[in-house]
Amino acid sequence: MTLKNLFRVVLIGLFIFMAGCGQNTGQAENTGNDGTDNSDLTPVKFALDWTPNTNHTGIYVAKEKGYFEEQGLDVEILLPGEAGVNQLLAAEKADFGISYQEGLTQARSEGLPVVSITAVLQHNTAGYASPADKDITSPEDFEGKKFGANGSDLEKAMMTALMKNDNADVEEVDYITTGDSDFFVAVERDVDFSLVYYGWTGIEAELRGVDLNMVYLADYSDKLDFYTPIIATNEEMIASDPETVKAFTHAAVKGYEFAIDNPEEAAEILIDRVPDLDPELVKHSQEWLSPRYKDDAERFGIQEQDRWQKFADFLLDNDIIDEPVDVEQAFTNEFLPEK
């Protein structure tokens, strides 16, 4: 075992220990449905990956519209804590949660038995964003610029892939670690560009009147058109209680399909459930995101093995993961409703 692997094993063990002790596993957003008696329903814990946003709308719709109750479920939404969603799922401290292909693939490579059961978005909407006056319109323009980074190896590998295609040198990019700093403050003060999701930060830029240039990952490499976000569970849940997995998936899909057809009403549900959110940002984000949930897929939520394999190979080829991942075990379409 390499030192890198040893460190990962220790880190995973620490996360699972913390989750097992009940520490920082996420604060419950709510329980039951407005005080109704749910004693005849199956309790389910659902963990968010981030503060509530429009990636999560379908879950809030399913809860508000009673879709989970129709399936016999009482779903408790857990806000994010210090332990990540994949660690909570692996430790069986959450039954389902919002994850992402890049994180779940790395988790499986490290031995965590997490499984994707639904794609929330069919295509990767992440891209390198910069104010238009910085004139960054393609990967070759990254040279000589300051990039607001989070410091991960995956981040460097993705940028390297894009710049190679443009015969540009990633070593000419100045990486400045900005962590979770506000994008608009960072590009005004510290850096020239950063990696964002257009469905939230890009829409916020529109509302602020800030013109952005976007260089989308998926436009330059099909290997980077991975599923993000996804809904995940763990192998034990699938093996021991497939009916609950099916029931949860059917209700969640119904929630997202409602948001596809009714973006304005879906946004209002999220705003009502999470009143601290900016209502205008939620409404405009939902309008942009709703047609992209299903996009060009035959049905909402479906995942393709070829896309899982290409990204797993990318991670292995770039030494982001040390062990190959059997992608047939990493995702399933088994629980999606038939059309």
Side-chain angles (χ1 to χ4, degrees), residues 33-44:
N33 228 358
D34 302 327
T36 55
D37 180 8
N38 294 328
S39 58
D40 58 336
L41 302 177
T42 300
V44 164

Side-chain angles (χ1 to χ4, degrees), residues 15-292:
F15 272 130
I16 293 177
F17 173 76
M18 290 170 62
C21 291
Q23 296 176 357
N24 301 313
T25 56
Q27 178 184 357
E29 184 266 351
N30 44 35
T31 56
N33 228 358
D34 302 327
T36 55
D37 180 8
N38 294 328
S39 58
D40 58 336
L41 302 177
T42 300
V44 164
K45 291 184 178 180
F46 182 87
L48 299 183
D49 59 326
W50 200 251
T51 52
N53 58 68
T54 43
N55 283 335
H56 311 141
T57 304
I59 300 300
Y60 283 90
V61 168
K63 191 170 178 65
E64 178 66 21
K65 291 287 185 181
Y67 300 156
F68 288 127
E69 291 184 14
E70 290 174 3
Q71 294 288 341
L73 305 178
D74 178 17
V75 174
E76 177 185 13
I77 299 175
L78 304 177
L79 299 179
E82 291 184 11
V85 170
N86 293 320
Q87 285 72 33
L88 291 177
L89 293 173
E92 299 177 28
K93 295 301 177 183
D95 303 300
F96 304 94
I98 295 287
S99 184
Y100 37 93
Q101 185 178 341
E102 60 270 42
L104 190 142
T105 306
Q106 292 179 75
R108 286 203 66 92
S109 178
E110 296 162 354
L112 272 63
V114 285
V115 182
S116 174
I117 54 174
T118 304
V120 173
L121 285 170
Q122 270 301 313
H123 294 286
N124 188 356
T125 61
Y128 299 101
S130 57
D133 60 5
K134 293 181 183 289
D135 200 26
I136 301 173
T137 60
S138 71
E140 65 179 342
D141 296 329
F142 298 165
E143 286 189 345
K145 300 297 193 303
K146 295 178 181 177
F147 173 62
N150 62 33
S152 75
D153 293 338
L154 174 58
E155 183 180 59
K156 187 74 171 287
M158 293 192 298
M159 187 181 292
T160 299
L162 265 64
M163 294 187 72
K164 274 186 176 179
N165 287 339
D166 273 16
N167 295 315
D169 184 0
V170 73
E171 298 304 324
E172 296 298 319
V173 179
D174 188 5
Y175 275 64
I176 307 292
T177 301
T178 54
D180 293 330
S181 298
D182 179 82
F183 167 80
F184 298 98
V185 173
V187 295
E188 180 74 25
R189 187 184 63 192
D190 305 315
V191 300
D192 297 304
F193 68 114
S194 192
L195 189 63
V196 307
Y197 290 98
Y198 193 85
W200 195 257
T201 304
I203 298 301
E204 184 176 359
E206 291 181 11
L207 295 175
R208 287 171 176 245
V210 177
D211 291 332
L212 290 184
N213 285 328
M214 288 290 297
V215 177
Y216 289 99
L217 294 171
D219 286 348
Y220 286 85
S221 172
D222 61 353
K223 297 176 183 177
L224 301 181
D225 189 15
F226 43 84
Y227 297 106
T228 181
I230 54 180
I231 296 175
T233 185
N234 59 63
E235 291 181 354
E236 175 60 25
M237 188 75 184
I238 290 175
S240 64
D241 197 355
E243 288 304 314
T244 293
V245 179
K246 180 180 178 181
F248 180 88
T249 306
H250 282 221
V253 168
K254 192 173 180 179
Y256 280 100
E257 288 178 337
F258 180 92
I260 291 170
D261 296 334
N262 307 277
E264 187 173 348
E265 187 176 348
E268 292 292 349
I269 289 172
L270 180 59
I271 293 166
D272 287 344
R273 282 285 184 175
V274 192
D276 289 342
L277 292 174
D278 179 341
E280 288 305 306
L281 177 56
V282 171
K283 291 175 184 175
H284 285 81
S285 173
Q286 195 63 60
E287 183 179 0
W288 189 88
L289 212 55
S290 281
R292 290 171 173 80

